Amino acid sequence: MSGSRSQSSGLRVQPAAFGAVPTGARLERIRRSPHFANGAFVNPEGTRLAPSRGVALEMAKGYLRKDERVRRAPAGLIPVHSTTLADLARPPASGLRITWMGHSSVLAEIDGHRVLLDPVWGERCSPFAFAGPKRLHPAPLPLAALGPVDVVVISHDHYDHLDMPTIKALAGTDTVFAVPLGVGAHLEHWGVSEGRIRELDWNEATKVGGLTLTATPARHFCGRGLRNAQQTLWASWVVTGDEHRIYHSGDTGYFQGFKDIGAEHGPFDITMIQIGAYSEFWPDIHMTPEEGLQTHLDLQGGGTGGVLLPIHWATFNLAMHSWAEPGERSLWAAHEAGVTLATPRPGEPFEPRNTPPADPWWRSVARRPAEGWTAWPPVGEQLDLVAES
């Protein structure tokens, strides 16, 4: 669907990374969406998008405090899996293999197809090469080494999920792009042909080869330029093959709609759920690890089956919690609920059918809490404290 124009603002020359806003037939389709009202997409259950002036000032102070900055970064080099390329050369024995590349980027090999979700290979999640959150670990392998991909799935247009350098590199391939309404304007602006873009509203589906990809609701927002017009949609995604089905949350706050998604599309072999960059200052648009665990249960119809893969953490510093906190809290929330958690190192492929990697690897490079780490795995019913370094 064609029709886009560059972002408009007071700047004479717009950064290419701002992308483009929807116009023409694309904009008309957006306006017909039942989720679009009064000139903007709206969330299920409502959303507070911006903190008050006083809260914003408090946030800024927290970001500037030296002791807070130290907590938000690892103390050592993040251990990236060293044999990703060789591991991916072998087909998955079970028909489903997942490789977390860091943050929300995941390669899913499902029933003979390869799906790349929210790929971000750039050095910064920013419109500028010289400023903005920088990667805390390298990509596990070069994008060009990844090989052919059947479909690229984008959850929304924020910089840490839609990365212009990555999209431009993929624009020269034959891959199909599945994106929420309006996001296709950015892709066309960066060289992806219209015929390779599948643009979906919530609860719409498209087929790519033997896969069905369904855009499902999420509770978030959008925007790349200086003015956020809320005219591109955000989504979570269900990918269904002949034998397996998976779920990727994108970015979202918790809402009751996860139960509906699970009832219609679940249960899932694996859920990939955002558990990082949360804050009391924006509780409606990002989930805590405990909310992510509840989301997994909702998607599984209340059961504890399937594997939970925490995403949206470890790669970029985007919130005020400590760097290791999302992994640590996810570990214990899943343990207490009896849910199988996967905690691979970036680039470490695993098959959900087998025993997934589930050790707290981040402890080896995180700053140790003053009280030490709680023993893992738990020692009987007593959760002894150990002073691991």
Side-chain angles (χ1 to χ4, degrees):
M1 181 174 295
S2 61
S4 65
R5 61 182 173 84
S6 298
Q7 295 273 8
S8 61
S9 73
L11 293 178
R12 290 184 178 181
V13 179
Q14 296 297 309
F18 278 12
V21 296
T23 60
R26 178 175 280 117
L27 181 57
E28 288 304 312
R29 186 179 173 207
I30 287 170
R31 288 171 174 166
R32 293 194 299 270
S33 168
H35 313 295
F36 192 80
N38 300 318
F41 281 109
V42 294
N43 267 308
E45 300 183 17
T47 306
R48 292 162 289 174
L49 290 179
S52 67
R53 184 175 179 179
V55 168
L57 180 60
E58 188 62 31
M59 288 168 53
K61 290 179 180 178
Y63 275 112
L64 292 174
R65 283 193 290 266
K66 182 178 180 180
D67 58 331
E68 294 294 322
R69 293 201 308 270
V70 169
R71 290 176 60 249
R72 297 198 304 270
L77 295 177
I78 296 173
V80 176
H81 188 66
S82 61
T83 60
T84 306
L85 184 59
D87 294 342
L88 293 178
R90 298 184 295 271
S94 66
L96 176 63
R97 182 168 59 200
I98 301 295
T99 309
W100 178 54
M101 299 295 180
H103 200 58
S104 295
S105 302
V106 178
L107 174 67
E109 298 168 275
I110 174 170
D111 299 335
H113 304 275
R114 305 178 93 221
V115 182
L116 192 56
L117 299 118
D118 280 358
V120 173
W121 259 253
E123 283 301 305
R124 295 184 187 271
C125 49
S126 165
F128 308 109
F130 56 87
K134 191 175 182 179
R135 298 185 71 94
L136 299 174
H137 66 81
L141 77 171
L143 186 63
L146 194 60
V149 172
D150 295 291
V151 58
V152 172
V153 176
I154 303 296
S155 64
H156 63 296
D157 70 359
H158 285 158
Y159 289 95
D160 57 322
H161 297 259
L162 179 62
D163 179 55
M164 183 187 71
T166 303
I167 298 301
K168 282 192 167 185
L170 292 166
T173 70
D174 295 329
T175 189
V176 172
F177 291 81
V179 302
L181 285 182
V183 175
H186 299 311
L187 271 58
E188 284 193 51
H189 189 63
W190 299 330
V192 180
S193 62
E194 175 188 345
R196 288 165 51 208
I197 300 172
R198 312 282 180 87
E199 216 162 335
L200 305 182
D201 201 347
W202 289 342
N203 302 312
E204 291 182 343
T206 187
K207 284 191 172 291
V208 178
L211 299 178
T212 299
L213 300 103
T214 306
T216 45
R219 194 182 185 199
H220 200 55
F221 68 110
C222 65
R224 294 180 72 86
L226 298 180
R227 296 189 300 178
N228 184 354
Q230 294 295 94
Q231 292 190 343
T232 64
L233 188 58
W234 46 95
S236 57
W237 286 88
V238 172
V239 182
T240 306
D242 293 336
E243 301 293 335
H244 298 92
R245 57 186 61 215
I246 64 177
Y247 174 86
H248 187 282
S249 72
D251 277 358
T252 181
Y254 180 78
F255 70 111
Q256 293 296 315
F258 293 123
K259 296 176 182 177
D260 298 327
I261 295 171
E264 184 169 356
H265 301 285
F268 299 96
D269 296 281
I270 186 168
T271 66
M272 296 159 273
I273 297 185
Q274 171 263 309
I275 53 84
Y278 47 84
S279 172
E280 61 181 321
F281 297 133
W282 51 83
D284 296 339
I285 57 172
H286 280 173
M287 294 190 291
T288 66
E290 293 77 18
E291 288 172 324
L293 184 279
Q294 184 59 55
T295 296
H296 175 84
L297 296 173
D298 290 352
L299 292 165
Q300 303 294 57
T304 59
V307 174
L308 167 59
L309 171 65
I311 60 172
H312 202 269
W313 77 289
T315 304
F316 297 106
N317 182 347
L318 301 175
M320 289 177 284
H321 56 66
S322 70
W323 174 75
E325 184 179 297
E328 197 71 17
R329 285 173 61 174
S330 295
L331 190 75
W332 292 105
H335 171 70
E336 291 169 8
V339 168
T340 300
L341 188 75
T343 58
R345 291 158 178 77
E348 182 178 4
F350 69 93
E351 299 188 34
R353 186 187 69 177
N354 304 327
T355 303
D359 66 299
W361 57 264
W362 52 86
R363 293 183 177 185
S364 66
V365 294
R367 288 173 171 79
R368 183 174 62 87
E371 68 276 13
W373 299 105
T374 304
W376 183 266
V379 181
E381 295 300 317
Q382 289 294 114
L383 302 181
D384 298 335
L385 292 180
V386 293
E388 297 177 2
S389 57

